[in-house]
Amino acid sequence: MNPLAPFKTLVKERCGLHLEGLAEDRLAKALTQLRTAHALPDLQATYHLLESRESVFAALISQLTVNETYFFREPEQLDLVADTLVPRLLEQCTGTRPLRLLSAGCSSGEEPYSLAMALHERYGERTRALFHIDGGDLDSQILAKARRAEYSGLAFRTLSAPRRQRYFTPLGSRYQLIPTIRDLVHFQELNLLSATLPEALGQYDVILFRNVSIYFSPETRRCIQARLKQWLKPEGILLCGTAETLGNDLGLFQLVEENGLFYFTQMPTGSPTALEPRPASTDVPATSFPEPPELKGPALETPAPPNPVQTCEEIREHLQAEHWEHAEQALETRLAQHPDCRESRLIKAYLLFNRKAFEAANALLASLLEETPWSVDTLMLAGLVARWQQAPETAARHFRHAIYVAPECWPAHFYLADIYRMDAIGKDAAVRAQRGYSAVQRLLAGNRQPATGLVTIPPPLPPGDACFLAQRHLATLVLDRHATTGAS
């Protein structure tokens, strides 16, 4: 038996965290530190301490959660909230009460503070009277950081210079958020598996549950959504991260598309487009906690902490979970020891791309393509960089080469079809786009673990999202073609 299994079960039952891979390594290291700090003789004593003392358990959770976030992450969603959804909700409540908004899993505060900035830019001094913004997180230590509102480094990776100058004041080597915005957000400890909200929290008009569900199993997500449904007003709106939306379409909410973006609502809507929900599942796990398993025998030996020098495979796991800061730190150590490692340099280019440092990423990819001109990962990433740099013909060439090497590379098919559809490159662009989207559907339909041809970089979008979008774009292209044919 895995000696960590009882601890993983305890954490999952109490707060829903799914500890596998690198997360299991963090658990092993945290338990070793806990035993040393409390002079505990074995893992059984460690388990009983965690089970009986809430403060010790909370400290452990703080070590296990990776609080990777930054200001104005997925800004198009925040714009949708501030420009479209909030004005609509304000009209419905006719100004009789402030709108209530919750950032669930707010980490160190960047998301609710970004929301506060976006609303303040549109409503000015009226923001305090019109809105009540809460941030909730399981980690009490990270909430203390959120309340201090002091930030630096990668927290600003997508924040524009004017916003940084407007909303932050220098504080040594860091920056502090100005009180005007800081005072708009209220932070509370929040366990998403709890049957009741903390007393300070209440029914919400908008809940942001973004880039959090990746830490939970599908069963736990259903349980959490059942909680969120109770905490949301009948006309309220739930937003998940862009890459998580389809994975959270579990039948408990109505999925709605508006201006190419997706969110959930409790009530069917006529316009914008309400999408057919998946069948609701009654398989919602119970929230009662089972008796802890007995820990005994030779399996009680404490696992050794993970090797601090991480392999490329371990760094790739950071990328899969979007733990950018951890990936960069691990990569810096690895490149110092292996400066010529092609895989490490490719990961470096991917991180540069993620930070929108396109020129630096391009330079590194050019050298990699000289060495390995038919690397699918390098071609795919080079195509994405070119796409962002508004060079569709260059991007298309890279995607075509990736498909030539790996016909199963559905991300290359998808983005090449997008270029044909949006940029109309070459002759019969619409027909080529249809072929590309059809290839995506063929490669992904009924395949839970589709091959990508990629070895190092993660797919740039989830396969479910790609299949969903390909289906919608294909339907639109077919309708447009019929309309054009009929008109002629």
Side-chain angles (χ1 to χ4, degrees), residues 6 10 47-48 51 289-295:
L10 179 65
Y47 184 95
H48 289 314
E51 185 187 29
F289 305 142
E291 290 294 320
E294 183 180 359
L295 300 176

Side-chain angles (χ1 to χ4, degrees), residues 143-433:
L143 287 176
K145 178 181 177 181
R147 293 185 183 101
R148 289 194 302 271
E150 298 174 8
Y151 301 96
S152 64
L154 291 176
F156 298 117
R157 70 184 71 170
T158 60
L159 189 70
S160 66
R163 274 181 171 149
R164 185 167 172 173
Q165 294 170 2
R166 180 179 180 184
Y167 293 117
F168 292 86
T169 56
L171 187 68
S173 60
R174 303 171 67 79
Y175 293 84
Q176 184 165 50
L177 190 63
I178 61 174
T180 302
I181 301 300
R182 193 167 69 236
D183 295 343
L184 290 173
V185 182
H186 316 276
F187 293 99
Q188 296 285 335
E189 288 189 36
L190 176 62
N191 186 339
L192 292 169
L193 285 183
S194 174
T196 59
L197 275 172
E199 193 172 313
L201 305 183
Q203 290 287 293
Y204 290 97
D205 299 276
V206 178
I207 295 179
L208 275 65
F209 181 55
R210 304 195 309 160
N211 305 299
V212 178
S213 67
I214 57 173
Y215 300 107
F216 304 118
S217 66
E219 294 77 16
T220 304
R221 265 181 267 157
R222 288 191 184 92
C223 188
I224 290 173
Q225 282 199 16
R227 298 284 182 265
L228 297 178
K229 193 175 181 68
Q230 295 172 358
W231 302 343
L232 200 62
K233 290 180 179 294
E235 68 280 7
I237 290 165
L238 171 68
L239 282 98
C240 298
T242 301
E244 299 175 306
T245 298
L246 294 183
N248 281 285
D249 186 13
L250 304 174
L252 279 75
F253 290 92
Q254 179 80 49
L255 181 61
V256 176
E257 179 186 7
E258 187 163 2
N259 299 328
L261 299 172
F262 300 89
Y263 58 87
F264 294 100
T265 180
Q266 297 217 54
M267 301 181 66
T269 58
S271 178
T273 305
L275 306 177
E276 189 68 25
R278 299 178 185 178
S281 171
T282 57
D283 184 22
V284 178
T287 56
S288 58
F289 305 142
E291 290 294 320
E294 183 180 359
L295 300 176
K296 59 184 179 180
L300 292 181
E301 296 182 6
T302 302
N307 187 343
V309 180
Q310 297 185 2
T311 64
C312 286
E313 182 177 358
E314 290 172 322
I315 297 172
R316 288 200 302 271
E317 289 190 40
H318 286 309
L319 299 182
Q320 292 281 2
E322 294 190 352
H323 299 157
W324 310 117
E325 189 167 356
H326 290 261
E328 290 191 350
Q329 291 172 354
L331 184 63
E332 184 177 347
T333 302
R334 180 166 181 79
L335 280 172
Q337 296 189 9
H338 307 283
D340 296 327
C341 174
R342 281 198 293 266
E343 189 173 14
S344 298
R345 288 155 58 207
L346 179 60
I347 294 173
K348 178 68 173 179
Y350 179 81
L351 290 170
L352 289 169
F353 166 72
N354 177 67
R355 295 174 62 180
K356 295 184 172 59
F358 300 128
E359 293 298 334
N362 241 343
L364 190 49
L365 289 167
S367 65
L368 287 167
L369 282 173
E370 287 184 4
E371 297 172 21
T372 54
W374 296 109
S375 162
V376 178
D377 293 76
T378 308
L379 288 166
M380 186 70 212
L381 186 54
L384 292 172
V385 171
R387 190 75 182 91
W388 273 89
Q389 290 185 305
Q390 305 299 317
E393 293 184 355
T394 301
R397 184 176 69 251
H398 289 313
F399 293 140
R400 284 195 296 266
H401 288 178
I403 293 168
Y404 177 80
V405 180
E408 74 277 15
C409 185
W410 58 262
H413 284 286
F414 180 88
Y415 283 101
L416 181 59
D418 256 6
I419 289 174
Y420 287 135
R421 177 178 63 87
M422 298 174 65
D423 299 285
I425 291 178
K427 187 178 179 180
D428 298 326
V431 174
R432 292 173 181 265

